């Protein structure tokens, strides 16, 4: 229990930081769109507003996708696996997990290359690097891979695809 307790505390802090980050990014997206619309309507457009909204939105989507996957709420078609016998269902779940991890690794690698390649490109009037937008792909892919591996490690193959109790109760 001595080595397990610190990891449990680590994951609780990690999960809390990710949730706060997702909420902050969502709020920043809404605020960027709102301020841009207000500025435009009063005749003082904020030219960099759409670029900031784009930046915050892609990061919101990637962090939000991880939060969704972490709670087992990602899209899945369970009609076929549910009718399979448990050993075959376990094999299908393992194969799906392997495919997802390979795909996420592929997206992370190509997303990182895209981010590096776009680092010198500016994001419209904001002056920020477009690499910050594309960096959301590899970071989001890494977060998703971590979440899938954590769920597998904690719950096993079949149960790792089931929604958490918090998700079932609507409390995240």
């Amino acid at each position: 229990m001595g080595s397990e307790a610190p990891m449990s505390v680590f994951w609780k802090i990690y999960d809390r930081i990710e949730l706060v980050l997702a909420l902050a990014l969502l709020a920043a997206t809404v605020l960027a769109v709102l301020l841009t619309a207000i500025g435009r309507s009063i005749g003082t457009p904020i030219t960099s507003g759409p670029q900031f909204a784009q930046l915050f939105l892609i990061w919101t989507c990637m962090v939000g996708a991880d939060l969704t996957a972490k709670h087992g709420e990602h899209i899945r078609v369970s009609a076929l696996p549910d009718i399979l016998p448990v050993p075959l269902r376990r094999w299908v779940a393992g194969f799906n997990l392997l495919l997802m991890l390979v795909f996420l690794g592929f997206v992370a690698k190509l997303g990182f290359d895209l981010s590096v390649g776009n680092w010198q490109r500016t994001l419209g009037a904001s002056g920020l690097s477009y690499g910050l937008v594309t960096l959301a792909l590899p970071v989001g892919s890494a977060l998703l891979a971590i979440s899938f591996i954590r769920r597998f490690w904690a719950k096993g193959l079949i149960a790792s695809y089931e929604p958490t109790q918090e998700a079932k109760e609507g409390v995240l």
Side-chain angles (χ1 to χ4, degrees), residues 6 10 16 27 40 47 112 122 124 152:
F10 169 80
R16 179 62 63 166
R40 190 178 307 130
T47 56
F112 182 77
T122 58
F152 161 69

Side-chain angles (χ1 to χ4, degrees), residues 38-163:
I38 290 172
R40 190 178 307 130
S41 68
I42 63 172
T44 310
I46 302 171
T47 56
S48 60
Q51 288 83 27
F52 279 106
Q54 176 188 17
L55 173 68
F56 296 139
L57 181 61
I58 187 63
W59 280 93
T60 301
C61 290
M62 295 309 292
V63 175
D66 184 50
L67 289 173
T68 301
K70 187 180 296 183
H71 293 283
E73 290 293 303
H74 53 281
I75 296 173
R76 64 183 181 276
V77 178
S78 60
L80 178 63
D82 286 351
I83 62 171
L84 296 174
V86 173
L88 192 52
R89 193 179 324 160
R90 190 172 291 120
W91 185 88
V92 168
F95 183 68
N96 285 342
L97 179 62
L98 179 66
L99 285 178
M100 286 189 294
L101 292 175
V102 167
F103 175 75
L104 290 171
F106 181 72
V107 171
K109 168 69 172 104
L110 291 179
F112 182 77
D113 292 345
L114 181 66
S115 183
V116 169
N118 281 307
W119 207 259
Q120 298 301 321
R121 183 176 160 202
T122 58
L123 184 60
S126 70
L128 296 173
S129 169
Y130 190 73
L132 291 172
V133 173
T134 56
L135 190 61
L137 285 172
V139 171
S141 296
L143 291 173
L144 283 163
I146 290 167
S147 292
F148 287 137
I149 292 168
R150 272 180 69 194
R151 285 182 60 82
F152 161 69
W153 199 262
K155 300 178 177 292
L157 271 175
I158 295 175
S160 68
Y161 287 94
E162 299 299 319

